Amino acid sequence: MSGREATAQQTDPLGALNQRPITLLLGVFAVLLPIFRTLTSPDPHPDMRLSIAAILLVAVGGGILAMASNPYRAPFTRRSFSLVVFCGILAMMAEGAATAGRDLMIRDDWGTVVIGLLLLAASPFRPSREILVATLASVVCVGVVVAAESPTFATKAPAFLYVVIGITPVLALGVGSAVYSSTFVHLVDQWLTRARFLTDESAHEMRPGIARSVQQDRVTGLNREVVPLFSELVERGAVTEEDSRRARHAADAIRQRIVSESDRSWLEQLLLDVCPDGNAGTITDRGHLADGMTTDQRTAIRALVGATSRDPSARQSTLGIALHDDEPLVRALIRIERPGSDTAVRQLYAPYFAVLRILFRDLQVDVNGSLLTLRFSYDQH
């Protein structure tokens, strides 16, 4: 299981989910722009077959961008990003070939802008270093194509000036995308560091109160089970066989409660917190395998179970969580029964899936009628 990358999506999955509409909008604009420019181009008699091929390449890149940014396919991989950039570069080259010898004005060329738009659309999903590398590779390709086209431009000027003009959209949007990705991750990391510090301080301050709460719980149990027995013994002044039996029963009950609480995993405690009457679901976790989850993974599972408890359509009694030891991994299975269409279930739990896919890379989501099933694994720590 590889670690998380320094991307906005993997640092703040919900934030990247909220940014996806902007990504889709940029992808759509990247496809519409070449169509409009091709239809209104002043260049005489461009090769329409190459122009159509260029537009189709942009559409393919936009399609890959839309699919790879889908939260159900998270995280956005390096391979998908490379394909998006490659389609953009090929489209730019195809556009240049379509107008070879007939390109009058560089400002009508759309290839460089499209590459920049694709880089900008992918900025929430890939690290800044990769975006910079893709930007530099695109700049080199654009420079070569523009230099080859410069003799045909209507305004005569040094080829170097045309190269600078040609690479500016790619360079500006690409560097801007890298700066955005780096800044976003840096700010989120700062916030998380501050939040952890405040959490540690809060935990330190709350520890005495928690100790008093546990002590009070123990005293309450003694008052309920032991004090009445002692009061009766004091009043009677004698101990009977029945009193001995009641004393043994009280001692066994107290010992059993202490043992149960000490053996209870955080996952079992979570279900009790969600539904104190014990009707929240079932846990199968031999060996406390849930303790192997990281803090972030535990938080995501807590959020999912909490959302299930707040969902009026979910049937808590059928919530089941099973953990299986498959050294060096732990295989996990979560089943939730919730009536409704597949689309409604996916939309309702989409934010949780977006987070879980980042924390558990092999997450599988299956919605079959009223049953939602999640399968994933994590390392044993």
Side-chain angles (χ1 to χ4, degrees):
M1 304 285 286
S2 59
R4 281 184 283 173
E5 296 176 300
T7 68
Q9 182 188 43
Q10 299 192 41
T11 304
D12 182 12
L14 294 181
L17 179 64
N18 292 330
Q19 296 176 50
R20 187 169 183 258
I22 300 177
T23 295
L24 297 179
L25 184 62
L26 290 172
V28 171
F29 183 66
V31 175
L32 294 179
L33 177 63
I35 296 175
F36 174 77
R37 288 285 182 86
T38 300
L39 294 177
T40 60
S41 175
D43 298 333
H45 310 297
D47 189 325
M48 292 308 298
R49 289 178 298 180
L50 286 175
S51 297
I52 293 174
I55 294 173
L56 290 177
L57 283 169
V58 177
V60 171
I64 295 173
L65 181 69
M67 289 189 296
S69 62
N70 190 316
Y72 297 113
R73 297 176 180 271
F76 194 114
T77 63
R78 179 182 301 172
R79 178 182 178 184
S80 297
F81 178 63
S82 300
L83 289 175
V84 169
V85 175
F86 186 63
C87 286
I89 293 175
L90 285 182
M92 180 271 300
M93 292 180 173
E95 181 215 6
T99 58
R102 299 179 292 275
D103 196 352
L104 301 179
M105 292 182 291
I106 190 173
R107 65 181 178 83
D108 292 317
D109 295 346
W110 50 260
T112 57
V113 178
V114 164
I115 295 175
L117 289 173
L118 293 176
L119 291 172
L120 185 61
S123 59
F125 305 101
R126 296 309 305 161
S128 58
R129 183 178 300 179
E130 283 188 18
I131 297 175
L132 282 177
V133 171
T135 300
L136 293 177
S138 301
V139 164
V140 172
C141 295
V142 169
V144 172
V145 172
V146 172
E149 291 179 328
S150 59
T152 66
F153 294 141
T155 302
K156 300 305 178 183
F160 172 75
L161 294 180
Y162 284 120
V163 170
V164 172
I165 295 173
I167 67 175
T168 296
V170 178
L171 199 59
L173 292 174
V175 172
S177 302
V179 171
Y180 167 80
S181 176
S182 176
T183 303
F184 187 100
V185 172
H186 176 67
L187 292 177
V188 171
D189 285 342
Q190 279 189 329
W191 181 85
L192 289 175
T193 301
R194 178 62 176 168
R196 292 190 186 100
F197 175 75
L198 294 176
T199 299
D200 291 341
E201 279 193 339
S202 177
H204 180 73
E205 294 173 356
M206 292 175 61
R207 190 171 291 112
I210 294 174
R212 286 194 298 269
S213 177
V214 173
Q215 182 183 23
Q216 186 60 41
D217 180 68
R218 297 289 187 269
V219 171
T220 301
L222 292 174
N223 288 336
R224 184 176 58 251
E225 299 174 7
V226 178
V227 172
L229 175 60
F230 284 178
S231 299
E232 292 181 15
L233 292 177
V234 171
E235 291 178 0
R236 285 202 311 268
V239 178
T240 65
E241 184 65 26
E242 177 62 19
D243 294 331
S244 300
R245 188 193 64 79
R246 290 176 58 191
R248 286 194 298 270
H249 177 75
D252 290 341
I254 293 173
R255 183 170 55 253
Q256 181 62 37
R257 183 183 300 112
I258 294 175
V259 171
S260 297
E261 291 179 356
S262 62
D263 288 343
R264 187 181 301 145
S265 70
W266 67 267
L267 194 55
E268 294 168 327
Q269 184 62 48
L270 171 61
L271 287 188
L272 290 178
D273 293 340
V274 168
C275 188
D277 63 4
N279 194 36
T282 59
I283 295 288
T284 303
D285 181 14
R286 300 180 180 88
H288 286 196
L289 298 174
D291 294 340
M293 293 187 192
T294 65
T295 301
D296 290 341
Q297 290 170 341
R298 294 187 188 193
T299 303
I301 297 300
R302 289 178 186 275
L304 176 65
V305 174
T308 303
S309 67
R310 294 187 299 270
D311 181 5
S313 299
R315 298 171 64 176
Q316 296 179 10
S317 60
T318 61
L319 169 63
I321 303 178
L323 303 180
H324 170 65
D325 188 353
D326 188 17
E327 182 71 30
L329 301 177
V330 176
R331 305 289 179 182
L333 174 68
I334 300 179
R335 284 196 173 98
I336 303 169
E337 186 171 351
R338 184 192 187 279
S341 65
D342 293 6
T343 303
V345 174
R346 290 181 182 274
Q347 288 179 347
L348 178 64
Y349 289 99
Y352 303 97
F353 297 158
V355 176
L356 289 171
R357 279 197 179 278
I358 299 300
L359 300 175
F360 304 101
R361 295 298 183 84
D362 58 349
L363 175 70
Q364 298 179 11
V365 179
D366 180 30
V367 183
N368 185 9
S370 62
L371 189 62
L372 169 63
T373 304
L374 306 178
R375 294 181 177 87
F376 56 88
S377 64
Y378 57 92
D379 293 326
Q380 296 190 32
H381 298 287

